[in-house]
Amino acid sequence: MFPRSGKSIVFDNFPDPTDTWEIIETIGKGTYGKVYKVLNKIDGSKAAVKILDPIHDIDEEIEAEYNILKALSDHANVVKFYGMYYKKDIKCGDQLWLVLELCNGGSVTDLAKGMLKRGDRMDESIIAYILHESLMGLQHLHINKTIHRDVKGNNILLTTQGGIKLVDFGVSAQLTNTRLRRNTSVGTPFWMAPEVIACEQQLDSTYDARCDVWSLGITAIELGDGDPPLSDLHPMRALFKIPRNPPPTLHQPELWSDEFNDFICKCLIKDFELRPNVLDLLQHVFIKQTVGREKILQKQLIELIDLNQQIGVIEKTRHERIHTKKGSHMKTQDADEVDDLATLEVLDENTVADQLQNRYARDQVYTYVGDTLIAVNPFHKMEIYTPEHTKMYIGAKHTANPPHIFAVADTAYQSMVSYNNDQCIVISGESGAGKTESAHLLVQQLTVLGKANNRTLQEKILLVNSLVEAFGNACTVINDNSSRFGKYLEMKFNGGGTVVGAQISEYLLEKSRVVHQAMGERNFHIFYYIYAGLADRKKLAHYKLSDSKTPKYLYHENIKLGPDIVNNASYKEQFDAVDIAGISVIMPALSSCIWLVMKHKAAGTCRQSVLDIVKPNEAQSTDCSWDLHVNSTYVVITRQRYFTVSFCRP
């Protein structure tokens, strides 16, 4: 049963529709009920009726649509309103009938899709005419302090006489002299303006009538491409992307005129304070081409409508709108099948934990939350990083494959190439979460995407990345390969998307680990690799290192520096990296470091003992063995440098 009254209307006061109208056939389905073609029993005229299902919580939207239609339907580009009726039915539930002008030419979306299905596309002059008439309708609303808030192709209907009508005012908002902005996130996701989406997350965010301009810009793309941008994504995922992505464009902008592209660009300015209003857009050169040609364009539009109807009904894709005040009316996947947690209606800590646990039990270690990828360390090798998987995620839609870190790499790469903008991927997590391995996999996929035409360059990027981690990673109590530093890896690509180099920066390195480790922990991996390598090659004596006694700060009861290290794959990888990168000079440098720390341990821990160890005249004999300049070494070790930051006072 409907509530008997809204805030200002009483449903019982409306007449019974069966006295005047007779249902002929079903036209389609709206947001809250079906739409039928009806016949007027008195004068034989035909109309459309939206019969609202008996839902309890939509009285505000019914009232909004009723008030706007009653007040503003006297415009050529707004659907005519013939009245509201109330049908009492104890058995099936009461019904509200909104009787409207019959727009039997379908929607502009139907027209665009029908033409594309025939291998054709809508002429720009027809698109300009549709947009001009839509702007006229929006101007009428905005002048009367009303925001439509759900402008899209399916809400712009056509009559068989070439009329263009705005419909569906259920979520429209009326402004007042004291309230010129709104702060409710409402609309259909793919067409929603960034500032409208922001109202869901930022309580102080507002927007004005220019949100309709953004939606019209998306509709313009829809008329050209047949679908709005991001339509291949789940609607809730699109809500994550719209505020973060650059303004969308036509799929192939080069196929369209500069004027059409510029019109879309003006509509889709992300800062709504800088976005033009409807009156400004009516003066745009793309729209003004219709002036004086209205009759000709209307005739051409009628011919297209007739042709479209002769071919048959185009399968419609329904995009449900959302309203943050009432919650989403969209259907989501079953909880067990969700790859993206953002699609869940309820997203709290318990839900996330349950979802991740269930997926982990099925060896699904990756899960999306909008643009974020959650990776749960499986602690065992998985066959999901093969060359076949590498190819599977290149240029693929997120929805085409299960969540994967390769998809993150592909998204960043494709965005970089498409928008010619730098991209950034942040990897964060607890110790042992798999950050290091995730970084390896990202670099691996990006080098494949970057089509490095120099195999040596590709190997350098991959191996040197591992080499840097050998310098900064160590075994801790809870993680055998814990990163003891922060790493910033910058990969360079040319204009064609080919990788041309990489640069790695480190920060917050735990330098004290070189001379002191907590109980049960080890030094940085690189020292074990170097010492074991020199021992294996019988070169310890050459670098003044003992071959009979393991250095104290490298000793560990559970590891044998010789065979355990030399037979380790990581050991071989590091020495390959040294050779490929051409930085064999690090061998004597690291050896000297081991020697210095051994001396330091023997002499004590005071700073003066270190100074004594590396006096140039006493260390001169080691100069040839290390291939280092001792005077320079002395300066580096014994002199401190301080970095200060200057602050500018206002």
Side-chain angles (χ1 to χ4, degrees), residues 481-495:
N481 190 31
S482 176
S483 296
R484 313 310 299 167
F485 71 116
K487 181 176 68 174
Y488 180 74
L489 170 62
E490 191 171 0
M491 295 186 68
K492 308 282 188 178
F493 297 81
N494 63 19

Side-chain angles (χ1 to χ4, degrees), residues 451-469:
K451 301 177 285 291
N453 49 22
N454 182 336
R455 181 164 178 79
T456 303
L457 173 61
Q458 187 174 2
E459 289 178 341
K460 277 185 179 180
I461 293 173
L462 292 171
L463 290 176
V464 171
N465 182 50
S466 298
L467 182 60
V468 170
E469 285 169 354

Side-chain angles (χ1 to χ4, degrees), residues 311-327:
I311 290 175
V313 178
I314 303 298
E315 184 178 345
K316 296 185 179 182
T317 302
R318 286 186 53 76
H319 297 292
E320 301 287 4
R321 67 179 176 226
I322 64 168
H323 196 311
T324 56
K325 187 174 181 180
K326 298 179 182 298

Side-chain angles (χ1 to χ4, degrees), residues 310-514:
Q310 289 171 20
I311 290 175
V313 178
I314 303 298
E315 184 178 345
K316 296 185 179 182
T317 302
R318 286 186 53 76
H319 297 292
E320 301 287 4
R321 67 179 176 226
I322 64 168
H323 196 311
T324 56
K325 187 174 181 180
K326 298 179 182 298
S328 173
H329 292 283
M330 292 180 296
K331 293 181 180 179
T332 58
Q333 295 171 277
D334 292 337
D336 291 341
E337 301 175 0
V338 171
D339 285 340
D340 187 345
L341 300 188
T343 63
L344 295 173
E345 290 188 3
V346 177
L347 189 61
D348 54 25
E349 187 174 337
N350 290 334
T351 305
V352 171
D354 289 344
Q355 284 287 325
L356 294 179
Q357 185 174 3
N358 292 337
R359 290 178 63 80
Y360 187 77
R362 299 193 297 269
D363 267 349
Q364 296 171 327
V365 296
Y366 292 119
T367 307
Y368 294 127
V369 184
D371 284 339
T372 303
L373 179 74
I374 298 176
V376 183
N377 194 338
F379 293 103
H380 65 85
K381 189 174 181 180
M382 298 185 70
E383 296 300 322
I384 58 172
Y385 308 108
T386 63
E388 289 73 21
H389 285 85
T390 295
K391 294 176 184 176
M392 185 190 306
Y393 286 88
I394 295 177
K397 296 178 181 179
H398 265 226
T399 52
N401 298 309
H404 201 290
I405 196 163
F406 287 171
V408 175
D410 186 74
T411 298
Y413 178 80
Q414 302 300 342
S415 297
M416 177 196 70
V417 172
S418 300
Y419 302 115
N420 197 30
N421 284 334
D422 294 341
Q423 304 294 313
C424 182
I425 301 172
V426 178
I427 303 174
S428 179
E430 297 285 342
S431 181
K435 299 185 295 297
T436 298
E437 186 62 24
S438 293
H440 285 173
L441 293 167
L442 279 171
V443 172
Q444 173 187 317
Q445 186 72 356
L446 286 169
T447 55
V448 172
L449 290 164
K451 301 177 285 291
N453 49 22
N454 182 336
R455 181 164 178 79
T456 303
L457 173 61
Q458 187 174 2
E459 289 178 341
K460 277 185 179 180
I461 293 173
L462 292 171
L463 290 176
V464 171
N465 182 50
S466 298
L467 182 60
V468 170
E469 285 169 354
F471 275 87
N473 288 21
C475 175
T476 65
V477 175
I478 62 173
N479 186 357
D480 286 345
N481 190 31
S482 176
S483 296
R484 313 310 299 167
F485 71 116
K487 181 176 68 174
Y488 180 74
L489 170 62
E490 191 171 0
M491 295 186 68
K492 308 282 188 178
F493 297 81
N494 63 19
T498 301
V499 62
V500 294
Q503 179 178 324
I504 301 176
S505 305
E506 57 80 19
Y507 54 94
L508 299 177
L509 177 65
E510 188 188 28
K511 298 176 183 178
S512 61
R513 183 171 288 269
V514 174

Side-chain angles (χ1 to χ4, degrees), residues 232-294:
D232 58 311
L233 302 181
H234 187 282
M236 298 308 290
R237 184 169 177 79
L239 289 180
F240 276 91
K241 284 191 166 291
I242 291 168
R244 295 167 174 79
N245 283 4
T249 64
L250 289 156
H251 180 60
Q252 292 181 288
E254 67 277 6
L255 299 180
W256 304 89
S257 70
D258 292 342
E259 292 78 12
F260 187 29
N261 281 301
D262 185 69
F263 175 82
I264 291 171
C265 181
K266 293 286 194 299
C267 289
L268 301 182
I269 294 173
K270 294 190 76 171
D271 184 349
F272 77 95
E273 299 282 10
L274 304 177
R275 195 181 305 149
N277 58 33
V278 166
L279 190 59
D280 296 328
L281 290 173
L282 282 168
Q283 303 306 312
H284 192 279
V285 62
F286 180 70
I287 299 300
K288 290 186 73 174
Q289 68 176 289
T290 64
V291 177
R293 302 179 59 209
E294 291 88 351

